Amino acid sequence: MRENIIHKAAVLFLTLGFKSVTMDDIAHEMGISKKTIYVHFPNKTKLVEAVTFNLFDTICAGIDDICENVSNPIEELYSIKMFVMHHLKNEKSSPQYQLKKYYPKIHTELKYKQFEKMHQSVQESLEHGVATEVFRNTIDVDFISRMYFTGMTGIKDNMFFPPEHYKMNYLMESYLEYHLRAIVTEKGLQILNKFITSNQSEK
């Protein structure tokens, strides 16, 4: 039952936002009493926390699977982007923004976990790219991986990129191109151009 509650709450939170969805809404959607939810989660904050880190673990497992099965680091980044977009569903509800505003402690902990995971995986991807000569061998791997995380976090800030003006898919694709163009070799650029052509989204 606990896992079912987390799954249903995740769908509602990502579709409608963390603030909008109440415990009553979740109970109604599941056809159970609110008391049943409280058996597993003493309050909404604990449920938000469980949903947030469950989703994080799911995305991490998916990213690990992609990294193990995709040989090209450029294709890897685009595959990860599509996977993350699929799991975050409707970005119009601004889940990251609402989490930061209404559950700042959870947001801070999540951001730290995200940095640890992304910093490691991007470093490995960059090193692989250098070894396969699609990325320049002069890049500072540690610096670039930190900049990548900063940029990916920054494009989700509604103050700088209001959702009424920018679709998240467009922002992620544009940032990927911006990031990769700075580090690719001629060999890498040929691969990148193919992905840009097949992944263009509307602003």
Side-chain angles (χ1 to χ4, degrees):
M1 178 57 75
R2 189 176 192 275
E3 287 72 23
N4 290 339
I5 294 169
I6 290 174
H7 176 72
K8 176 56 70 175
V11 172
L12 292 173
F13 287 150
L14 291 175
T15 305
L16 303 172
F18 287 103
K19 174 66 173 176
S20 307
V21 178
T22 66
M23 299 293 250
D24 283 314
D25 293 330
I26 298 166
H28 177 74
E29 283 290 320
M30 295 187 70
I32 60 176
S33 70
K34 193 163 61 171
K35 286 182 179 179
T36 302
I37 298 177
Y38 283 122
V39 167
H40 300 277
F41 304 97
N43 52 58
K44 185 181 172 183
T45 299
K46 286 296 183 184
L47 177 56
V48 169
E49 183 179 58
V51 167
T52 299
F53 294 120
N54 180 264
L55 184 61
F56 172 77
D57 289 340
T58 299
I59 290 176
C60 284
I63 289 174
D64 288 341
D65 186 58
I66 290 169
C67 293
E68 286 177 12
N69 292 288
V70 176
S71 59
N72 186 303
I74 294 175
E75 181 183 354
E76 180 183 293
L77 284 175
Y78 275 95
S79 297
I80 288 171
K81 185 270 298 183
M82 292 178 68
F83 175 77
V84 171
M85 288 299 298
H86 171 74
H87 276 274
L88 291 183
K89 303 183 185 297
N90 180 15
E91 278 283 347
K92 289 181 181 178
S93 65
S94 304
Q96 287 275 108
Y97 172 77
Q98 289 201 11
L99 192 66
K100 182 178 181 180
K101 184 175 181 180
Y102 300 108
Y103 301 94
K105 187 176 178 181
I106 297 172
H107 178 267
T108 299
E109 188 176 348
L110 174 64
K111 192 171 181 179
Y112 181 76
K113 282 177 170 286
Q114 287 174 328
F115 172 72
E116 281 192 319
K117 176 63 180 177
M118 191 180 287
H119 185 50
Q120 179 188 352
S121 62
V122 172
Q123 273 192 316
E124 291 171 357
S125 177
L126 290 170
E127 288 165 355
H128 181 211
V130 171
T132 53
E133 300 181 340
V134 295
F135 297 154
R136 291 183 288 107
N137 61 11
T138 55
I139 63 172
D140 183 332
V141 170
D142 182 69
F143 173 76
I144 297 289
S145 65
R146 290 173 187 272
M147 286 298 295
Y148 184 74
F149 177 80
T150 303
M152 273 298 183
T153 304
I155 61 173
K156 294 174 182 176
D157 192 319
N158 289 1
M159 185 174 77
F160 300 117
F161 299 99
E164 61 269 24
H165 294 152
Y166 293 97
K167 294 178 181 177
M168 184 50 65
N169 208 39
Y170 171 81
L171 287 172
M172 291 187 76
E173 285 169 12
S174 298
Y175 183 69
L176 265 182
E177 180 181 349
Y178 173 82
H179 163 72
L180 289 168
R181 280 193 183 279
I183 62 175
V184 291
T185 59
E186 282 297 322
K187 176 183 176 181
L189 183 60
Q190 292 178 15
I191 299 169
L192 174 59
N193 284 335
K194 292 178 183 178
F195 278 96
I196 291 170
T197 302
S198 60
N199 282 272
Q200 287 178 332
S201 291
E202 293 181 5
K203 182 177 177 182

